Amino acid sequence: MSGVSSLAERLARPEIRALAPFDIADTGPDPDAILLDSNESPFAPLATTSAVNRYPESQPAALRARMAALYGVERENLWVTRGADDAIELLIRAFCRPGEDAVAYSSPTFTAYERFAAVQGARVLDVPLDDNFDLCVDALAEAIEADGKVKLVFVCSPANPTGNVVPPETIRALADRLPETIVVADEAYIEFADVESLSGEAATRENLVVLRTLSKAYGLAGARIGALVGHPDTVAMASRCSPFYPLPVPSIDAALAALAPSRRALHERRIAELLDERARLAAALENAPGVGSVRVDGGNFLFLEVADPDALADTLRSRAIRVRFRPQAAPGGVRLTVGTREENDAALAAFGVSGSGAGSPSRRAEVVRETKETRIALALDLDSDGPRRVDTGNAFFDHMLDQIAAHGGFALDLTCQGDLDVDAHHTVEDCAIALGEALRTALGDKRGIGRYGFALPMDEAEAKVLIDLSGRPYAKWEGDFSASHIGDYPTEMTAHIFRSLADSMKAAIHVEVEGDNDHHKTEGAFKAFGRALRQAIRLEGDTLPSTKGML
Ligand SMILES: *Cc1c(COP(=O)(O)O)cnc(C)c1O
């Protein structure tokens, strides 16, 4: 019925009718596409999910407490929101009268500020960034003072889509200068930046609010969990605009699981990995044909200016790689999210360059293992000889696991929260299983690796370990101990550990120890295992060390 407006059009508020239709660049699901367009984490969340017959808590107490602890504030300083997007909307709804009050920001920036202001009918005061995409602080403050009705000023740092970090002292100075305006520091990407968060300060200042999210650094974009952090009065005021049950139970549970203390080290490691990849992408793209400038500062993304965006779009489409084109930010502007090493290699190839290390699959693995007795999060990288961080709560066992990684020559992050109040048995056994699983996963098809053994003396003691990464579990142990414990570590667990490793690695592991001192014998066995492993996992060409063609 062209020409006749619909009922919805006739009834809608004029300012809503004037908005562009909802349009998020989305070409539908394609399970094979490489998604470097939305600044998500390429890693699956470190989380599990749950039942939904009950309403959720309106404001989930446990998650609120855990996020408050994560951001270093008290519970009353934080409101858990449906992503940071929701926090933006709550603030604008709570503080801006339609047709009267204004929201300020500096474009190009995150589009949600403009959108939610329009929906609320709030005016917008845009004081553009300078040619380097930096904030013009004085101009912004002057414009806000002159307007007199700006309730909220959004400062995105690190900025989307350009990545520029606004120094915290600049944001602080803006808040000092504008005591009657709430400065909202959008820190959606702060985990990827080399600056301190303003969360702690927002807790005590009436006119400073910080937005945080689990979408970007914590791999939970699909769960929609973020937070508004600020003075208790500001938080309470914004929360009055919240729906009654905004957060789905599975999202709350996923966030709680992801934020378990045992997973902290893994998150840090993932972030470090993405930062390494960000640097690798930036260096490679500097030399890419048709790429004019490469900007990288604070986010999990890069901002490029390319000579021929249409040609790039064609190439990327043919390879099912998605990026975000941002012509409003700069002619030929492209925002490229940092993905996994493999995804980044695919992106670099599409840009006509190859990154250093391209082509060699990464030999990394993560294992998250949870039972009633233990919660384990483990990451390892066979092609990096550090860092090593082991924390199981049993000092001697930590030392033994560290020996395996140190002598094996690989990076290991392992955190275990186990039922040590019972005894060390479950912790020791489950860590061995998780380590074996991770080694097997990281080795992949085992192309290029060998079968090895190692023997070493340790003072009067001697330890010998043979490993065959055969795909068939078999454990053989020879040796005994005179004491029942070394510290809190039960000596009887040593044989058990190598059996668990053999099972979970699907490897034959033969261990022989002899000598007088239990400590020497035990440490010797772990060291020799690490040494044998170091040889076994070393890449030596690309053939399978088996005449069967598979291991
Ligand atoms: C992604 C993003 C957000 C919103 O993240 P949520 O998924 O809603 O938590 C907020 N601000 C900026 C600048 C962003 O890029």
Side-chain angles (χ1 to χ4, degrees), residues 38-39 82-86 88 110 113 156 158-160 186 188-189 211-216 221 224-226 335:
S38 295
N39 295 350
R82 234 169 359 199
D85 279 359
D86 183 33
I88 296 167
F110 190 48
Y113 317 135
C156 191
N160 181 359
D186 184 341
Y189 300 99
L211 309 183
R212 305 291 299 254
T213 178
L214 301 184
S215 294
K216 309 293 166 47
R224 315 299 308 124
I225 301 286
R335 197 190 66 195

Side-chain angles (χ1 to χ4, degrees), residues 22-215:
F22 196 81
D23 173 32
I24 289 257
D26 199 354
T27 37
D30 169 358
D32 297 322
I34 295 179
L35 304 176
L36 304 179
D37 56 340
S38 295
N39 295 350
E40 299 141 338
S41 168
F43 307 119
L46 297 168
T48 40
T49 52
S50 50
V52 288
N53 55 317
R54 304 287 179 196
Y55 278 107
E57 290 171 272
S58 311
Q59 185 59 195
L63 181 57
R64 190 184 196 190
R66 195 161 279 178
M67 291 178 81
L70 179 68
Y71 302 141
V73 297
E74 298 299 320
R75 222 182 295 202
E76 69 265 22
N77 296 117
L78 180 140
W79 189 256
V80 186
T81 58
R82 234 169 359 199
D85 279 359
D86 183 33
I88 296 167
E89 192 181 7
L90 293 181
L91 285 167
I92 294 177
R93 285 220 298 250
F95 292 102
C96 297
R97 288 168 298 178
E100 209 158 328
D101 298 324
V103 161
Y105 55 76
S106 295
S107 65
T109 189
F110 190 48
T111 48
Y113 317 135
E114 181 187 13
R115 180 86 186 188
F116 291 133
V119 169
Q120 175 68 3
R123 276 185 304 116
V124 151
L125 182 66
D126 181 5
V127 180
L129 299 172
D130 69 14
D131 290 345
N132 192 43
F133 301 119
D134 285 325
L135 204 62
C136 304
V137 197
D138 287 331
L140 179 61
E142 278 160 27
I144 291 169
E145 283 163 347
D147 185 283
K149 286 199 170 164
V150 175
K151 296 291 186 67
L152 302 164
V153 50
F154 288 90
V155 179
C156 191
S157 175
N160 181 359
T162 48
N164 293 34
V165 171
V166 183
E169 53 274 21
T170 303
I171 299 176
R172 199 177 293 132
L174 192 64
D176 286 342
R177 182 158 166 187
L178 302 168
E180 295 296 309
T181 300
I182 296 174
V183 176
V184 186
D186 184 341
E187 296 187 340
Y189 300 99
I190 193 84
E191 289 87 351
F192 302 101
D194 201 13
V195 291
E196 287 289 307
S197 165
L198 286 164
S199 300
E201 246 175 281
T204 55
R205 287 189 71 136
E206 281 194 317
N207 74 329
L208 180 62
V209 163
V210 166
L211 309 183
R212 305 291 299 254
T213 178
L214 301 184
S215 294

Side-chain angles (χ1 to χ4, degrees), residues 21 72 96 181 212 221 248 255 282 288 329 333 359 404 416 460 482 489 507-508 517:
C96 297
T181 300
R212 305 291 299 254
I404 295 180
C416 175
E460 91 303 338
S482 41
Y489 173 84
N517 181 301

